C-alpha cells in the first residue's frame, strides 16, 4: 500500500486458517484499509445448515429490474471464503464464479449471481463499485447499470465480449 492505491485486489481465496500467520496478515489488511479478496462458489451437494455457507456480507448487492443472472441452488453449491479474522479485515469481497466458453477460454463473467434467495456481486463488480459508485444496481434492456458503470450483458447476465480474442 506504499504507493497509496485506491484499492488492492487479490485474486486469491484465503480460505481455511493459519493460526500462526492469520492475525498478523489480518492486521496488515486492516491497516491498509483498501484490500478486497474473493470467495468462490463450489459445486457439490453439502449439508448447508451452517452459516459458513453464506457468502461474505460485503458481497451482497441489491439488484432491481429483471436481471438475466445465474441462480445457484444452496443444496448444490457451497461457499469457499476467507474466514475470520481475515474476512473482518477486508474492505470487501465478491464471487469469482466463471464459466468457460466451449473452447475452454473464459471471455465473459456474470456480474451478479443469485444464491440462497439473494444477489451477490462478483469480485470485479464490487471493485468497480468501490471505485466508481455506491448506489444500487439494476438491469435494463440487457444492460447492467450501477452509477456510472454501464455494461452490456448476454442472456445469462455475463458481460458481452466487446473485443473478441
Amino acid at each position: 500500500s506504499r504507493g497509496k492505491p485506491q484499492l488492492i485486489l487479490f485474486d486469491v481465496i484465503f480460505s481455511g486458517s493459519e493460526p500462526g500467520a492469520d492475525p498478523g496478515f489480518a492486521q496488515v489488511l486492516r491497516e491498509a484499509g483498501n484490500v478486497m479478496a474473493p470467495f468462490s462458489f463450489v459445486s457439490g451437494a453439502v449439508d448447508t445448515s451452517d452459516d459458513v455457507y453464506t457468502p461474505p456480507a460485503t458481497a451482497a448487492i441489491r439488484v432491481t429490474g429483471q436481471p438475466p443472472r445465474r441462480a445457484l441452488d444452496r443444496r448444490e453449491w457451497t461457499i469457499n471464503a476467507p474466514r475470520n479474522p481475515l474476512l473482518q479485515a477486508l474492505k470487501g469481497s465478491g464471487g469469482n464464479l466463471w464459466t468457460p466458453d466451449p473452447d475452454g477460454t473464459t471471455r465473459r463473467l456474470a456480474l451478479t449471481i443469485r444464491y440462497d434467495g439473494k444477489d451477490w456481486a462478483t469480485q470485479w463488480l464490487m471493485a468497480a463499485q468501490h471505485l466508481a459508485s455506491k448506489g444500487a444496481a439494476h438491469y435494463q434492456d440487457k444492460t447492467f447499470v450501477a452509477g456510472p458503470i454501464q455494461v452490456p450483458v448476454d442472456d445469462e447476465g455475463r458481460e458481452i465480449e466487446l473485443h473478441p480474442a
Side-chain angles (χ1 to χ4, degrees):
S1 64
R2 220 177 278 171
K4 308 251 186 276
Q6 290 182 16
L7 191 64
I8 298 171
L9 186 65
F10 277 98
D11 190 13
V12 175
I13 298 172
F14 297 108
S15 60
S17 65
E18 300 246 354
D22 286 354
F25 187 39
Q27 182 62 32
V28 169
L29 296 175
R30 236 184 326 280
E31 287 172 4
N34 61 349
V35 180
M36 293 180 69
F39 69 91
S40 65
F41 292 99
V42 181
S43 177
V46 295
D47 172 13
T48 58
S49 59
D50 192 337
D51 277 346
V52 80
Y53 298 108
T54 300
T58 57
I61 186 167
R62 185 172 181 265
V63 181
T64 59
Q66 292 299 318
R69 63 182 173 237
R70 185 161 181 194
L72 304 179
D73 187 324
R74 186 175 173 135
R75 294 168 297 182
E76 298 171 1
W77 292 82
T78 189
I79 304 299
N80 185 16
R83 304 287 183 235
N84 288 326
L86 299 183
L87 184 60
Q88 292 177 334
L90 294 171
K91 178 174 186 76
S93 186
N96 70 351
L97 183 67
W98 51 272
T99 305
D101 292 336
D103 67 359
T105 300
T106 300
R107 294 181 180 86
R108 292 168 293 280
L109 298 170
L111 297 172
T112 61
I113 304 291
R114 185 103 176 137
Y115 177 77
D116 198 28
K118 297 178 184 160
D119 291 308
W120 305 95
T122 61
Q123 172 82 337
W124 327 115
L125 174 58
M126 289 309 291
Q129 280 207 290
H130 276 287
L131 295 174
S133 74
K134 296 289 183 188
H138 67 276
Y139 287 92
Q140 177 180 346
D141 301 325
K142 292 203 174 189
T143 300
F144 176 86
V145 180
I149 301 167
Q150 294 189 19
V151 181
V153 295
D154 65 12
D155 290 336
E156 296 179 29
R158 300 176 304 175
E159 62 182 320
I160 292 178
E161 177 186 20
L162 300 176
H163 304 286

